[in-house]
Amino acid sequence: QVQLMESGGGLVQPGGSLRLSCAASGTIPGATVMGWFRQVPGRQRELVATVTSGGTTDYGNSVQGRFTVSRNNAKNTLDLQMDSLRPEDTGVYYCKIQRRITPTMIVWGQGIQVTVSS
């Protein structure tokens, strides 16, 4: 079974940058979407950014223009460059991979803490 491992989280000051990485232990055959979602205190888990195996990206409105997602299909890795961080970006960030064709397959990482604070 595929497993996802996040790394790179931590504490950063407002306006700073952080880079998250997600490594997959295996590969899900076929077209997939990999992405980052976050659990922000007081909110439901929300979209941060996704990227398909074909390279198409999607971003949540709150991070548009500040975050950049990328994936390396050969290495089975996913990265999130986070710039101009704000306190409201604080939360637990989860890596996810989802198969786009049947049968449905979704794998979540354990999550990693990102804290933006002075």
Side-chain angles (χ1 to χ4, degrees), residues 1-46:
Q1 175 72 303
V2 172
Q3 291 184 310
L4 302 177
M5 181 66 70
E6 303 100 334
S7 63
L11 174 65
V12 65
Q13 294 189 9
S17 297
L18 208 59
R19 188 175 182 87
L20 303 182
S21 295
C22 174
S25 64
T27 302
I28 296 178
T32 59
V33 178
M34 292 190 73
W36 294 94
F37 296 77
R38 67 188 180 190
Q39 189 75 55
V40 178
R43 302 179 187 175
Q44 297 184 30
R45 188 173 297 185
E46 63 183 6

Side-chain angles (χ1 to χ4, degrees), residues 68-105:
T68 303
V69 67
S70 61
R71 68 186 287 179
N72 187 317
N73 293 330
K75 293 182 176 294
N76 296 319
T77 57
L78 177 74
D79 294 318
L80 182 69
Q81 179 64 43
M82 310 165 67
D83 298 319
S84 301
L85 284 162
R86 306 164 180 169
E88 51 263 43
D89 292 319
T90 294
V92 179
Y93 285 66
Y94 297 88
C95 179
K96 175 189 177 183
I97 183 168
Q98 179 171 0
R99 184 180 172 94
R100 299 180 68 189
I101 57 176
T102 56
T104 301
M105 186 178 298

Side-chain angles (χ1 to χ4, degrees), residues 12-13 39 42 53 61 63 68 109 116 118:
V12 65
Q13 294 189 9
Q39 189 75 55
S53 50
N61 291 334
V63 307
T68 303
V116 184
S118 299

